[in-house]
Amino acid sequence: MGVSGQSATTRIGLAEIARLAEVSEATVSRVINRRPGVSTKTRATVERAMAELNMTRPTEGEMVLAIVPELSNDVFTRLAEQIEAELSPFGLHTLVCAALPGSSKERDFAAATVGVGIAGAIFLSASNTLSRGDHSAQQMLRDRRVPFVNVNGGAGGIPAATFSTNDWRAAELAIDHLTALGHRRIGMLAGPPGNLLADRRIEGFFAALRKHGLDDENALLERQLFTVDGGRRGGDLLIDRGATAIVAASDRMALGAVNAAFRRGMSVPGDLSVVGYDDSPMLDLTAPPLTTVRQPTERLAQHAAQALHVLISGNHVNEDEVLIDPELRIRSSTGGWAEKPRKRQKPQARP
């Protein structure tokens, strides 16, 4: 027996489900039509009642494609989990796929899932972070009238609701903290060229230096991959150029810079202060615990999931980019600095 539509048979179906689940018919209708206003526990009770009565509804349109650049990075895993939690009350579920930004996998995943009837898609720091990336997946979804939203960067001018961490503010928070500690030779480890988020953090870095009256003409800037090795290489270069503090564009890069200092016999934060970006869950356990700028993942997930649900429901959302401020988490990798000579060892050979 079906449960959708407005026929007399449907009304009987709704009444049976409501009686078994001990809820109102209006609640059953909200569950069936994936409307908000129903708790997760109540929704599960209604779903069980439907199963006991052998009543089904079409499954097409329940799945949301979530594309991330990788799953080994805690911040992307956390974002995907939080989006799933936000979508679940609407009866929607996420299918998480990892696709290296700039590869053809995004379009492949989008094409395959559109064929089975996804409800929508979310791009989480994927090709939407590239200024000149391949945005054919987003264009295909738009052409097929499948709603999608972006997290952390738009998609090459293709209109879509976008929710991003305010990366200009992220750089400013780090510089404000380090200058208050007395640092004046502050270096930045940024991501590779062509990455929209890296470019924004660099702009914020320069603006913050100027705000504090620091010379940005010979700014200590290195662009590397968002990896530990990239942070180690860039850290070595910045230390050689006299940086007393480093602002990194990811926690992995920051830990690489810490390692570069340790290999020279330097202490952190005694000889070098380091600030990361993301706030990975294990940072309290690093040695030293890493000061970092925390991405507002909960708010990003909430905004993105709610906007996508509105689109799936056939309503309009604003397609301007919404910037959400991060926060600074101060731990033990940053400390005060007074101008003083310091002895640096040459980098040790890597085994």
Side-chain angles (χ1 to χ4, degrees):
M1 181 183 297
V3 295
S4 61
Q6 299 297 324
S7 67
T9 301
T10 297
R11 296 295 302 172
I12 294 171
L14 289 176
E16 289 183 81
I17 298 168
R19 185 167 52 253
L20 182 59
E22 298 182 345
V23 298
S24 68
E25 290 185 27
T27 297
V28 174
S29 179
R30 283 197 292 271
V31 172
I32 291 170
N33 293 290
R34 305 183 185 88
R35 296 194 181 104
V38 182
S39 70
T40 302
K41 181 179 179 180
T42 299
R43 189 177 295 275
T45 300
V46 173
E47 297 280 5
R48 284 195 300 270
M50 291 170 61
E52 288 183 32
L53 294 170
N54 293 319
M55 295 179 178
T56 60
R57 64 181 178 187
T59 58
E60 182 176 331
E62 290 185 351
M63 196 65 64
V64 169
L65 174 65
I67 295 182
V68 299
E70 57 177 313
L71 289 171
S72 60
N73 190 320
D74 292 330
V75 71
F76 302 130
T77 305
R78 191 164 69 242
L79 264 171
E81 290 174 346
Q82 290 165 348
I83 284 174
E84 166 69 21
E86 293 289 339
L87 290 175
S88 182
F90 302 121
L92 297 166
H93 306 285
T94 53
L95 173 65
V96 181
C97 297
L100 184 68
S103 70
S104 63
K105 279 191 173 183
E106 281 193 19
R107 182 178 174 84
D108 293 341
F109 286 137
T113 52
V114 164
V116 298
I118 56 169
I122 300 180
F123 293 86
L124 301 168
S125 299
S127 64
N128 53 305
T129 63
L130 302 180
S131 57
R132 296 185 178 180
D134 178 6
H135 305 299
S136 58
Q138 290 92 337
Q139 188 60 57
M140 181 187 68
L141 293 175
R142 188 171 178 84
D143 293 343
R144 301 280 188 92
R145 299 183 182 277
V146 176
F148 68 91
V149 300
N150 297 313
V151 173
N152 283 334
I158 300 173
T162 301
F163 305 93
S164 303
T165 301
N166 187 337
D167 286 303
W168 295 279
R169 178 59 177 156
E172 183 181 32
L173 286 171
I175 298 299
D176 287 352
H177 173 60
L178 292 170
T179 54
L181 292 172
H183 292 276
R184 293 296 179 267
R185 294 286 293 173
I186 303 172
M188 180 161 198
L189 274 172
N195 184 282
L196 175 65
L197 309 184
D199 293 343
R200 290 177 173 183
R201 290 167 205 166
I202 291 172
E203 290 175 4
F205 173 68
F206 287 151
L209 290 180
R210 291 191 293 270
K211 184 180 83 168
H212 290 281
L214 301 179
D215 183 10
D216 66 350
E217 292 184 2
N218 298 306
L220 304 177
L221 173 67
E222 291 295 333
R223 305 198 71 154
Q224 299 285 340
L225 295 177
F226 293 105
T227 62
V228 172
D229 282 341
R232 186 183 295 117
R233 286 192 295 270
D236 274 329
L237 293 170
L238 290 173
I239 293 170
D240 284 341
R241 294 170 63 187
T244 67
I246 291 175
V247 177
S250 75
D251 290 335
R252 291 181 178 182
M253 297 178 85
L255 293 175
V258 170
N259 183 256
F262 286 168
R263 289 170 60 210
R264 294 167 176 256
M266 298 169 63
S267 69
V268 175
D271 297 311
L272 181 75
S273 286
V274 180
V275 179
Y277 181 91
D278 281 339
D279 195 28
S280 303
M282 301 298 288
L283 294 187
D284 284 317
L285 304 179
T286 59
L290 187 69
T291 295
T292 191
V293 177
R294 187 181 191 278
Q295 286 210 60
T297 55
E298 296 88 353
R299 295 171 64 197
L300 289 170
Q302 182 182 43
H303 283 291
Q306 290 180 353
L308 186 61
H309 177 257
V310 170
L311 291 169
I312 291 171
S313 300
N315 297 308
H316 176 75
V317 298
N318 195 314
E319 292 179 339
D320 293 335
E321 183 175 16
V322 175
L323 296 177
I324 303 173
D325 281 350
E327 60 181 301
L328 183 68
R329 293 290 181 90
I330 300 175
R331 297 188 177 92
S332 304
S333 65
T334 51
W337 179 263
E339 288 300 328
K340 57 185 178 181
R342 66 182 185 188
K343 182 180 179 180
R344 299 192 196 98
Q345 296 180 359
K346 292 185 178 296
Q348 301 172 6
R350 297 174 64 182

